[in-house]
Amino acid sequence: TDFDSKKKRKVAEIYQALNSDPIDVATLRRMAISEGGLLTDEIRCKVWPKLLSVNTDDLPPLPAGKELREGNKDYQQVLLDVRRSLRRFPPGMPDDQREGLQEELIDIILHILKRNPQLHYYQGYHDIVVTFLLVVGDRLATALVEKLSTHHLRDFMDPTMDNTKHILNYLMPIIDQVNPEVHDFMQSAEVGTIFALSWLITWFGHVLSDFRHVVRLYDFFLACHPLMPIYFAAVIVLYREQEVLDCECDMASVHHLLSQIPQDLPYETLISRAGDLFVQFPPSELAREAAQQQAERTAASTFKDFELASVQQRPDTVLRQRFRERLRGEERTKSILTKPRTNRFVKLAVMGLTVALGAAALAVVKSALEWAPKFELQIFP
């Protein structure tokens, strides 16, 4: 069939990129993003390390579990989470095989934490590690997850949730760009973004029941900018536009609806849509709005107004002044944002643009390094 010949062509192209000297990482990224992703676990074992630039020639041996576990402050929590992770293993896997993998899972996590004391374990981390373990085996999984933990997942592994919340703050500005009606409805319902927390910190591993969909998303995320999972979260919400707008406009109802993720999502369509949105509204453009959301939520910012007003005892003048400043700020932001907003009702007719453009999408992916006004937001150390 046509599909099979397309698949064969893609496999050939992937191997050609792997065998070229130097390895053609740009092509590998494009293959991981484009329809079907990397196709098989055998290919993932070869390509994932290249996407994370991990050298597979000299992987360190894993230490014995016993010495890792004794006196380890995270051991009990990791043990609890791993014991609860039954449904992350293929249905029908024999118990003893699964139990063996769970032991390996605990060791990988403790090993990475021991080698990187700056990283803090969070619940949900094991959902990411188990995905790598099942695809590439324990030694390679350890190397890949360690690299990922100091890069893509770094923000989730801080002692506080501040940076994770900051990343969640990108969700509403993206939705607002594409569909102001859904955005305003969600704001009125005061639903917030916590419904997407487990999606984000597990790269959807925790919420999708079909393992094939999980690894397809991992292909995509590994090839892209660290913020891509939040674009994917936005695309899921936008895809469910009608359900959202038909919902009761209150926090409990909307939160309940959104946190139950449908299992039959059109993944390929959504992946290419997320890529398109990233191209249209890169993080650096949304950074100011995300920072604004953060600022409006913190007591510190409202306290400043309060303090100013009480010092001058003329609250109206202070507030008027603040309001004027804010309007000026909004005018500035508007001028940045109106360009894309005017055409967004085309409902992103550029579907699949990322895949077709290839090179342009990669340019965006590469901009991962210089994204967002870093000094202002301190996202990555």
Side-chain angles (χ1 to χ4, degrees), residues 289-305:
E289 278 195 39
Q292 178 77 25
Q293 289 221 345
Q294 182 67 19
E296 281 173 6
R297 283 213 195 102
T298 53
S301 64
T302 45
F303 181 72
K304 226 196 245 121
D305 286 356

Side-chain angles (χ1 to χ4, degrees), residues 224-241:
C224 288
H225 187 291
L227 276 184
M228 194 54 93
I230 203 72
Y231 282 78
F232 193 76
V235 164
I236 290 180
V237 175
L238 291 161
Y239 171 74
R240 303 181 70 192
E241 169 188 11

Side-chain angles (χ1 to χ4, degrees), residues 195-205 207 233 236-237 258-259 261:
F195 65 85
L197 178 65
S198 67
W199 306 356
L200 181 68
I201 63 177
T202 67
W203 277 11
F204 297 83
V207 289
I236 290 180
V237 175
L258 288 174
S259 48
I261 203 166

